[in-house]
Amino acid sequence: MLIPLDHRSPLPLYRQIQDFLSGEIRSGALPAHTRLPATRNLAQSLGVNRLTITTAYEGLAADGLVYGRQGSGTYVAPLSEAVTGPTAPVGASQDWPLWQQELLSHTWLPAQYELDRMSAALDRPDAISFAAGMGDSSLFPIDDFRRAVTDILRRDGRAALSYGERAGFAPLRATIARIVTERGIRALPQHILVTSGSQQGLSLVARLLLRPGDVALVESPTYAGAIDLFRSLDVRLAGVPVDAQGMQVDRLEALLTTHHPRLIYTMPTYQNPTGTCLSTARRRQLIDLAGRYNVPILEDEFAGDLHYEDAAPLPLAALDPGGRVIYMGTFSKMLMPGLRLGFLVAVGPVYERLLAAKRVDDLSSSSLIQRALEAYITVGRYQAHLRRACQLYGHRRDTMAEALRRYLPAGADWTTPAGGLFIWLRLPGGLTGQALAPVAAGEGVGFAPGELFFPGGRSQPYVRLNFAEHPPERIEEGVRRLGRAVVRCLSTGSGERQSGDVLHNEMPAI
Amino acid sequence: MLIPLDHRSPLPLYRQIQDFLSGEIRSGALPAHTRLPATRNLAQSLGVNRLTITTAYEGLAADGLVYGRQGSGTYVAPLSEAVTGPTAPVGASQDWPLWQQELLSHTWLPAQYELDRMSAALDRPDAISFAAGMGDSSLFPIDDFRRAVTDILRRDGRAALSYGERAGFAPLRATIARIVTERGIRALPQHILVTSGSQQGLSLVARLLLRPGDVALVESPTYAGAIDLFRSLDVRLAGVPVDAQGMQVDRLEALLTTHHPRLIYTMPTYQNPTGTCLSTARRRQLIDLAGRYNVPILEDEFAGDLHYEDAAPLPLAALDPGGRVIYMGTFSKMLMPGLRLGFLVAVGPVYERLLAAKRVDDLSSSSLIQRALEAYITVGRYQAHLRRACQLYGHRRDTMAEALRRYLPAGADWTTPAGGLFIWLRLPGGLTGQALAPVAAGEGVGFAPGELFFPGGRSQPYVRLNFAEHPPERIEEGVRRLGRAVVRCLSTGSGERQSGDVLHNEMPAI
């Protein structure tokens, strides 16, 4: 099949392919039940990534234009009214009800959409993206996991598809309790609440403790998904600046007095995006302040186990004299993001309230996935997986740091983190991540631009690079391209620049 | 193993067993790595339900006292500090931080906890509970589903465990669009948002459209999980009374003028708990009012496909002139609750906002379960499953109605619903569901007491009976017991009574 592609078009390739096929189907040139070329073949013949074809086909399926037969390919769907679009109400341009129009005037949409958009724009077969927030999923032993799922369904039958215990499958909570005990947290299974990913944990805590107009303290920069969540709840954010030792806790007291925050959200260990690790002295100081000012701490340890030098300091939850810290962990970074399983550890009355919040939010998390994970992940197996990941990712971190030294022009700056997934790169010459992105995409490399991570969202001379996801040769090649893009931006003077010496930007409450 | 059980104790049997074993383990009488009796054997030797033993063992596991080896039984865990309880901070009685103590003073806990408590109290091997909110899970072809899961993991590998499309797996959305088209709703896949059960759908809509202090209109009575959710958001509820034709829409305008609600939440088809079905005339009137007063409607059609007479009238979403109705559906009732998959159908700007709300709440729903469901559930297979369920449940509905006529004393009143899962029984002599429950539990039968479904939570002379879950002989026996419990309550004059002729209680805004 010959599909004309314009590689210089701003329209991503997958979209060009999708639009072309969509036209052929709607015009009748491709009649119903025609089999489309296999993705692999079409990708080869067009010289594009196979994922590009898959994405195009998925788009066609979402429009009802094609259907898939498992294991036997993709076929053109019959042209029904549902496919060509009903006359009304759906799809017609019209006056929406006033309450819907009012929603439009809330201009808020997740900052993370920018990442999705950039990923879609990075559309060439050999593209390398350092934008992701996870580890290398190819480490995950999918065959073992498949066996675990099959065994569970055979062993537990329908019980695996019933509502389970509301707090989470008890044996899994027992396993999690043992895992966090390894991090020094004295937790029993009844202090564990299994959540649908740590994003839900964050959402439950925020909704329980915060009301519109309340202030939350966050590191500046911080996790983009947290900024999005807090904004969706009309919570105002005050940023605490970060330096090489993590959150600048000595600036916390002034913010506590000024803003009377109702929550401190922090990633003390291998912080996202800066990779910094809060020192033990600061950890103690933070807990002390939270106690004195009566502010709960949500500790997000999304990658506390991923260390490439000495183990990280004890988490805040391990230093907590009692009930000040809610601890949050996840299996997404270590194992697979699509498991959608995370957990909260909480002691005191707040536990019961979080459980109630979970109940009204989604009743309970998937019993099947919980049981399968529990069957798969004995503590020993988790520790073995961890050791392997640490060894591999540590090597990749070094590869990336070395490549940055080699390929980035003078003025670029970064600190090699002791753990986690990210290098936080300061661009030279005040170049911003946003200005660099399109040029970098042209070179075939992607990253997460710094502005996503600041509560105010202003242009920032930073980008976040994931060093854990790709093998060394891809890291090397990706950084080479990145260096080329930076040099090109600087030499042409293209792109917006950030004047002067903005460090980790301090955010006022917004 | 001999475990002393007191069948007259208020402590449930599973708890007596758990406490006994816990004592034996903590005292060292049962040393580490001892294998506990198989649940089946212990259940037989104690003359209790096997589930009682499973529950007791799960409790022990949650306390860290036992561990399970897959396929080879349950063993006593070594007594470590984590098991006997660390000295501090966990488990010690202590002064919690002030913010935690303040949480305690919010007395709100989900009303549905009452159901959990009652289910736990209904602890004898032959107990029959009509309390559940779902159909008969034994209809679900678990082996077919297991094959689908295994095939998906083999075919898609790690892709099945990655973050998928945020709106949901595209082919699944295409299937859902076809399913709702069968109900008369003109939806395309891009109007479908896959959620983690319909509870999450409800939660997303409520959080997007409501702020603390806002008023939502609900049927009175309504779904207990919705009451819990709205209360957790500090949303005030105004109840619209229900009669045999569903919500009394002619009383709606007064409530709209008085309360200026920001949402109407309704189950027009086979309403939970009353089983009533809103007439087409009222449906049109409702949509018209919602348009004139600019109030969004959330239509929860949790069992619209389960009809035992003529098909239900068209859903509100099918009558919507454009963007007034958000439609919500689920696979929990038809297939398995533990799938945790539901969906929203929305047109207009609200769709994008709901997608953003989903993003900040839990990023996306399990890719694996979505793919497996899509592979399993072709439209044809869904319709076949549906026909089977309708035939079976219709028969069970008749069995229950017949048994109610036979076993309930005069004064009991109910209407046989044309579809859905529930019969809403008005108890005779002003007897309340709460007063009846312990006596009924003594007879070995359970139900959902009426007060759970009223926003105000006051005692009500109603109970909700699920007729779909159990086979006819169990229904017959359960209703016989229920009749005996009612007669006993009335003859001893035991239990609180509701005076006079309260019908579907009208709730003021609270």
Side-chain angles (χ1 to χ4, degrees), chain A residues 249-264:
Chain A
V249 177
D250 55 347
R251 301 172 75 161
L252 197 60
E253 191 153 12
L255 290 166
L256 288 165
T257 332
T258 318
H259 295 300
H260 305 290
R262 309 279 297 186
L263 180 69
I264 299 169

Side-chain angles (χ1 to χ4, degrees), chain A residues 58 61-64 70-71 81-82 86-90 94 96-100 102-104 106-110 112-113 116 134 137-138 140 142 145-146 149-151 153-155 157-158 161-163 165-166 170 173-174 178 186 188-191 196 199-200 203 207-209 211-212 223 228-229 232-234 294-296 320-324 326 332-333 336-340 347-350 352-353 355-356 359-369 375, chain B residues 58 61-64 67 70-71 81-82 86-90 94 96-100 102-104 106-110 112-113 116 134 137-138 140 142 145-146 149-151 153-155 157-158 161-163 165-166 170 173-174 186 188-191 196 199-200 203 207-209 211-212 223 228-229 232-234 294-296 320-324 326 332-333 336-340 347-350 352-353 355-356 359-369 375:
Chain A
E58 283 178 358
D63 290 342
Q70 200 182 321
E81 183 189 52
T87 47
V90 157
Q94 62 185 300
W96 299 110
L98 192 60
W99 65 265
Q100 287 226 30
E102 285 165 359
L103 287 175
L104 275 177
H106 302 209
T107 52
W108 178 81
L109 279 179
Q112 292 188 304
Y113 279 11
D116 300 350
M134 65 200 79
S137 61
S138 74
F140 184 68
I142 189 80
F145 186 75
R146 190 185 64 236
V149 173
T150 310
D151 289 351
L153 281 169
R154 213 170 255 139
R155 188 190 75 185
R158 296 184 176 82
L161 292 172
S162 304
Y163 295 125
E165 269 190 280
R166 307 300 176 155
R173 285 188 288 122
R178 282 185 207 114
R186 293 174 161 190
L188 298 175
Q190 62 266 37
H191 305 124
S196 303
Q199 185 74 28
Q200 191 193 34
S203 172
R207 284 186 284 128
L208 179 66
L209 298 177
R211 285 287 174 268
Y223 167 49
D228 284 336
L229 171 70
S232 79
L233 297 171
D234 295 334
N294 185 37
V295 186
D320 183 357
R324 294 184 197 174
I326 301 167
S332 300
K333 307 300 175 190
M336 288 294 297
L339 289 174
R340 305 311 304 124
V347 295
V350 70
E352 190 65 31
R353 304 289 158 168
L355 182 57
R359 175 79 168 248
V360 298
D361 196 35
D362 69 356
L363 299 185
S364 61
S365 293
S366 164
S367 222
L368 173 61
I369 303 284
Chain B
E58 282 178 0
D63 290 344
Y67 62 96
Q70 201 182 319
E81 182 190 53
T87 47
V90 160
Q94 61 183 301
W96 299 110
L98 193 57
W99 63 267
Q100 286 226 31
E102 285 164 358
L103 286 176
L104 275 178
H106 301 209
T107 51
W108 178 82
L109 280 177
Q112 293 189 304
Y113 279 11
D116 300 352
M134 66 201 76
S137 60
S138 74
F140 185 68
I142 189 80
F145 186 75
R146 189 185 66 237
V149 173
T150 310
D151 289 352
L153 282 168
R154 213 169 258 139
R155 187 191 76 186
R158 293 183 179 82
L161 292 171
S162 303
Y163 295 126
E165 269 190 279
R166 305 300 176 158
R173 285 188 288 121
R186 293 174 161 192
L188 298 175
Q190 62 266 36
H191 305 124
S196 303
Q199 186 74 29
Q200 192 193 32
S203 172
R207 283 187 283 127
L208 179 66
L209 298 177
R211 284 287 173 269
Y223 168 48
D228 284 337
L229 170 70
S232 80
L233 298 170
D234 296 334
N294 185 37
V295 186
D320 183 356
R324 294 186 196 170
I326 301 166
S332 300
K333 307 299 175 189
M336 289 295 297
L339 290 174
R340 307 308 307 124
V347 295
V350 69
E352 192 64 34
R353 304 290 157 167
L355 182 58
R359 175 80 168 248
V360 298
D361 195 37
D362 69 357
L363 299 186
S364 62
S365 292
S366 164
S367 224
L368 173 60
I369 303 283

Side-chain angles (χ1 to χ4, degrees), chain B residues 146-309:
Chain B
R146 189 185 66 237
R147 273 188 290 274
V149 173
T150 310
D151 289 352
I152 287 296
L153 282 168
R154 213 169 258 139
R155 187 191 76 186
D156 299 349
R158 293 183 179 82
L161 292 171
S162 303
Y163 295 126
E165 269 190 279
R166 305 300 176 158
F169 185 52
L172 178 62
R173 285 188 288 121
T175 302
I176 293 171
R178 282 186 208 114
I179 288 174
V180 301
T181 301
E182 300 273 326
R183 282 288 292 129
I185 299 169
R186 293 174 161 192
L188 298 175
Q190 62 266 36
H191 305 124
I192 311 287
L193 175 60
V194 177
T195 58
S196 303
S198 66
Q199 186 74 29
Q200 192 193 32
L202 184 58
S203 172
L204 296 176
V205 170
R207 283 187 283 127
L208 179 66
L209 298 177
L210 300 170
R211 284 287 173 269
D214 282 350
V215 173
L217 285 190
V218 299
E219 285 132 0
S220 179
T222 186
Y223 168 48
I227 298 176
D228 284 337
L229 170 70
F230 290 129
R231 288 175 67 203
S232 80
L233 298 170
D234 296 334
V235 165
R236 293 176 299 146
L237 296 181
V240 193
V242 168
D243 64 20
Q245 288 186 68
M247 181 196 278
Q248 295 183 23
V249 177
D250 54 349
R251 301 173 74 159
L252 197 60
E253 191 154 10
L255 291 165
L256 288 164
T257 332
T258 318
H259 296 301
H260 304 289
R262 309 280 296 188
L263 180 68
I264 299 171
Y265 166 67
T266 179
M267 293 166 284
T269 308
Y270 315 135
Q271 202 250 358
N272 177 6
T274 62
T276 55
C277 190
L278 197 67
S279 65
T280 298
R282 286 192 184 177
R283 286 175 193 239
R284 295 198 187 278
Q285 202 185 343
L286 174 56
I287 289 174
D288 178 53
L289 282 167
R292 279 200 281 131
Y293 285 86
N294 185 37
V295 186
I297 295 175
L298 175 59
E299 175 178 35
D300 181 356
E301 214 179 44
F302 67 99
D305 283 330
L306 292 174
H307 61 90
Y308 316 124
E309 292 165 20

